[in-house]
Amino acid sequence: MARTGKLLRSLIRAGKRTAKLFAAAATPPKPRKPRAVRARATPTASAASSVPPSVAAPGKWLAGHMLNAAGQRMSYWLYLPNNRQGNGMPLVVMLHGCQQTATQFAQGTRMNLLAEKLGYAVLYPQQLVSSHPHRCWKWYERATQDGGGDVPTIIGIIHKVITHQDIDRSRIYVAGISAGAGMANILALNHPELFAAIGLHSGPVFGAGHNALGAFSVMKNGALGIGADLAAHALLQRQPRFPGMPAILFQGESDNVVKSINQIQLTRQSLLLNRLSGPAQVTQKRHYRLLDYYDGRKLLLRVAQVEKLEHAWSGGDPSLKFNDRAGPNASKMMLAFFARHRRA
């Protein structure tokens, strides 16, 4: 009995170590839980001073929340640009990665500064610590992949924003990094009528994992066998009228957290979902290459493979974890790609 108890304790300790590896391959300082703030027309002086400059300037920075199925508050932040062009702003939904907050993600990607120039609104939902201690979106759960879990809450936040703000509903996009990219993909594939295009940075392949240990395997090895293709075909069977989903995929070739096999499999899935069969047009840049896939003259899939980039947002603010100063500028390229697409 003593030997059995010792073995059981050893297995429990090993499981905890594996869970920690999955939750955080790097260990930045633990983010502070944001104070619940009611949405306001303009930030107060004290509130504005507490927001990083790349987040606060120069438009409006609003805060709000949405109750999930368990009655818990999921916080979100919304950037509204001063520079509005025409009727209805495009909206980009941005989903942070593990061990990030929404405001850290906004600052790190510098998305608000670019959105200001182009007249985009930007929405940042934030995962609850009570749902995952490292704020990871649970992209690996089968229920979430099928449209459950946190998906209805995030969709509810989006509908709340587009109801109360002047948003062009034909130009709603979703992007994310790592676990946030996994969740962004799930949102778009389950609600293709809502989103016109997606941007996935360092994201896991869709439809694999199904638990925390399985997720760790996906991050390192991708989906096993033909699992990626099967997941795409299963989606098309559930949604025979799936309209396609234009995508831009970023991946660092030196990423040891979510390895590049995931981008290869995401590319394969995107080709199937967008019904693309032609070869890629390859453009070699100094530090990266682009693989572009067209339907006629319409660019539906852009794959960016970045040399020497690790698990970080390309062209981001290096003062924060998971951001790399070196280009290409992922935020700028995503907005340029999104501008090509509208949802009819």
Side-chain angles (χ1 to χ4, degrees), residues 142-224:
R142 189 184 297 274
T144 301
Q145 294 170 4
D146 290 341
D150 289 318
V151 173
T153 308
I154 301 173
I155 294 296
I157 290 173
I158 296 170
H159 281 296
K160 182 178 178 181
V161 167
I162 64 179
T163 298
H164 291 93
Q165 303 295 337
D166 183 23
I167 301 297
D168 182 348
R169 299 192 182 200
S170 71
R171 294 188 290 167
I172 299 175
Y173 313 96
V174 61
I177 186 172
S178 194
M183 181 60 80
N185 201 15
I186 288 169
L187 287 176
L189 297 185
N190 280 280
H191 296 272
E193 75 289 345
L194 181 61
F195 299 101
I198 56 176
L200 309 181
H201 201 311
S202 312
V205 65
F206 169 74
H210 307 317
N211 56 52
L213 292 178
F216 187 71
S217 175
V218 170
M219 292 159 64
K220 298 296 184 183
N221 307 305
L224 298 178

Side-chain angles (χ1 to χ4, degrees), residues 81-158:
N82 288 334
N83 175 31
R84 303 190 187 186
Q85 304 173 5
N87 294 325
M89 296 172 286
L91 174 68
V92 180
V93 182
M94 294 282 286
L95 298 178
H96 61 79
C98 296
Q99 297 203 3
Q100 287 183 314
T101 64
T103 53
Q104 288 170 343
F105 190 43
Q107 181 181 357
T109 60
R110 300 187 176 104
M111 185 62 80
N112 292 350
L113 291 175
L114 292 166
E116 175 66 34
K117 295 178 181 179
L118 299 173
Y120 279 64
V122 194
L123 174 63
Y124 300 88
Q126 180 170 279
Q127 175 64 301
L128 289 81
V129 171
S130 59
S131 180
H132 192 286
H134 295 285
R135 297 194 190 279
C136 298
W137 303 103
K138 297 180 181 179
W139 57 269
Y140 48 87
E141 291 186 344
R142 189 184 297 274
T144 301
Q145 294 170 4
D146 290 341
D150 289 318
V151 173
T153 308
I154 301 173
I155 294 296
I157 290 173
I158 296 170

Side-chain angles (χ1 to χ4, degrees), residues 94 109-111 114 313-314 329-336:
M94 294 282 286
T109 60
R110 300 187 176 104
M111 185 62 80
L114 292 166
W313 191 271
S314 183
N329 188 321
S331 297
K332 185 176 181 180
M333 288 179 61
M334 283 187 183
L335 289 181

